[in-house]
Amino acid sequence: MTKIILDVLNGVRPKRPPVWLMRQAGRYLPEYRQVRATAKNFIDFCLSPEKAAAVTLQPIDRFGFDAAILFADILLIPMTLGRKVWFEPGEGPRLDTLTADDIRTLEIGSVEDILGPVGETVSIVSGRLPGTTTLIGFAGSPWTVATYMIEGGGSKDRWNARRMYWQHPEAMARLLDLIADSTVRYLVMQARAGAEVLKLFDSWAEGMPPQMFNDVVIRPTKRIIDGLRAAGIDQPVIGFPKGAGISYRRYAEQTGVTALALDHGLDADWAVNNLPEGMPLQGQLDPAVLGAGGQALDAETDRIISAFESRPHIFNLGHGITPDVPIEHVQQLVERIRG
Ligand code: 1CP
């Protein structure tokens, strides 16, 4: 049986693009909320292989997406560097904040033990997936993970992290290297457990000067991909430097990614004409359109499919699905794509 997403990542252009959605396992699904309610807290949920595997498979059962994405979170990696991470109910992630001084003494712990349960989740899902569905493993990219570590959670403009880059460049470089090296071990574990594609989420790659983009986005991403290849991992890697604008091109040329996930702000025609020839592209429906549904959803779905007709293309959102999206809209989208 062939897996259409692996075909596309190998450069094939099928008649209709395959589809999956960022955050497809999540609160818009009643069956997700049901399992979620049985977990002590969000971190525990991510580290409970049976529960995490169950919610990974839910959107596949319901919609028949072409890929399942491992249920976990990008904020597990700070735990491998000895940091505390917790989720405030109704608010979001919290971490103990990190200063330049703290960074000098950080060390990578036993990634394989601390995040071992995630490897188990991957094995369980791998054994239960339909033969045509691709299993995607993932991690956060170093810059995005670093912003949460320095800020102690989400923040409006990542001010402390951005300032640290300019004020303590050596501390920032060390932090990014440590996250990258821990992430390599984490992704090697996922790949060996059965992840067939790996995705790197750089949700905060927007709004920085070019040299800074080289230092905090491109270099650490390349370090991860070089590390994976050196470890004998040859799975395709999808890079998602969200909000990078025209810097998507340098990212595509210099990091070693196999494919690019495009956010909805990037001009599709620019992308098709300026990103490396033949490189598979994933994206890029605005999640708000999925929230709206109706004719707008059909029209935007059609526009995106035809915009990427000349490329190997995986249909997806430009960012994660939001909890308020009606399930019927997702159904409508999948039917429209499949014609
Ligand atoms: O209680 C809940 O159910 C909380 C919602 C939730 C979910 C469903 C969180 C908290 N994380 C996740 C799972 C998750 N997170 C997945 C796997 C499942 C899937 O995609 O179907 C993935 C790939 C992520 C990745 C992730 N986590 C990113 C990168 C992608 C993005 O959306 O930009 C980021 C930034 C996070 C941090 C995070 N985790 C959770 C929240 C609410 C946040 C964002 C905080 C913020 O906005 O700053």
Side-chain angles (χ1 to χ4, degrees):
M1 250 183 296
T2 74
K3 301 202 179 208
I4 185 172
I5 292 217
L6 292 181
D7 289 346
V8 171
L9 291 171
N10 275 317
V12 172
R13 256 185 315 116
K15 265 215 186 68
R16 307 297 286 176
V19 56
W20 67 279
L21 302 181
M22 282 189 259
R23 289 279 174 97
Q24 63 190 20
R27 282 173 294 171
Y28 75 107
L29 289 176
E31 59 268 36
Y32 171 90
R33 296 195 298 268
Q34 215 169 30
V35 180
R36 173 77 177 84
T38 67
K40 199 168 76 198
N41 58 55
F42 187 73
I43 297 290
D44 240 56
F45 185 23
C46 292
L47 297 178
S48 303
E50 279 296 341
K51 288 178 186 177
V55 299
T56 301
L57 290 162
Q58 287 172 348
I60 310 308
D61 293 342
R62 192 188 264 274
F63 304 111
F65 289 128
D66 296 295
I69 183 158
L70 162 71
F71 186 83
D73 198 84
I74 66 163
L75 297 177
L76 299 179
I77 280 288
M79 295 164 52
T80 68
L81 298 171
R83 310 303 290 177
K84 288 199 193 71
V85 185
W86 67 102
F87 279 76
E88 284 299 335
E91 287 182 38
R94 294 282 184 278
L95 298 89
D96 38 10
T97 52
L98 192 63
T99 64
D101 275 345
D102 297 330
I103 290 170
R104 295 187 181 101
T105 59
L106 280 186
E107 279 174 42
I108 303 176
S110 176
V111 180
E112 296 74 12
D113 291 329
I114 298 166
L115 299 183
V118 178
E120 275 181 59
T121 306
V122 173
S123 312
I124 297 170
V125 174
S126 174
R128 293 188 194 158
L129 270 186
T132 50
T133 313
T134 301
L135 177 52
I136 303 177
F138 76 93
S141 295
W143 167 248
T144 289
V145 175
T147 65
Y148 285 94
M149 293 179 74
I150 294 163
E151 304 288 345
S155 69
K156 199 169 118 248
D157 53 13
R158 282 90 54 209
W159 180 259
N160 295 302
R162 287 160 56 209
R163 187 179 52 193
M164 191 187 290
Y165 166 80
W166 297 103
Q167 202 164 24
H168 301 287
E170 70 307 317
M172 178 57 80
R174 175 169 155 77
L175 176 60
L176 294 170
D177 283 352
L178 287 167
I179 297 171
D181 293 350
S182 176
T183 299
V184 169
R185 287 168 60 179
Y186 182 46
L187 291 175
V188 166
M189 180 182 80
Q190 292 183 30
R192 292 196 178 138
E196 302 166 288
V197 172
L198 302 170
K199 181 166 174 185
L200 292 170
F201 288 88
D202 222 341
S203 304
W204 298 117
E206 67 185 40
M208 53 181 96
Q211 184 59 46
M212 179 174 175
F213 188 83
N214 290 346
D215 293 338
V216 306
V217 175
I218 292 183
R219 192 187 55 81
T221 301
K222 182 174 189 314
R223 187 179 175 101
I224 291 175
I225 295 172
D226 288 349
L228 290 170
R229 300 310 180 220
I233 300 301
D234 56 12
Q235 272 83 339
V237 176
I238 303 174
F240 181 37
K242 182 172 183 292
I246 61 170
S247 299
Y248 257 99
R249 181 163 163 172
R250 265 184 307 136
Y251 179 96
E253 290 167 347
Q254 296 174 12
T255 56
V257 291
T258 315
L260 291 170
L262 310 180
D263 64 78
H264 45 284
L266 193 72
D267 184 297
D269 293 334
W270 181 88
V272 166
N273 293 320
N274 290 280
L275 295 173
E277 212 183 314
M279 186 176 267
L281 303 177
Q282 175 182 284
Q284 57 168 178
L285 184 77
D286 183 343
V289 179
L290 190 59
Q295 283 190 343
L297 177 55
D298 284 346
E300 277 296 280
T301 304
D302 295 351
R303 179 184 68 79
I304 287 166
I305 292 174
S306 53
F308 293 100
E309 243 160 24
S310 64
R311 289 270 181 166
H313 175 224
I314 299 169
F315 198 100
N316 204 312
L317 300 173
H319 200 196
I321 187 170
T322 50
D324 61 299
V325 167
I327 284 165
E328 307 79 68
H329 293 188
V330 179
Q331 201 66 56
Q332 180 187 338
L333 171 69
V334 171
E335 282 164 18
R336 190 81 182 179
I337 294 167
R338 301 219 161 124

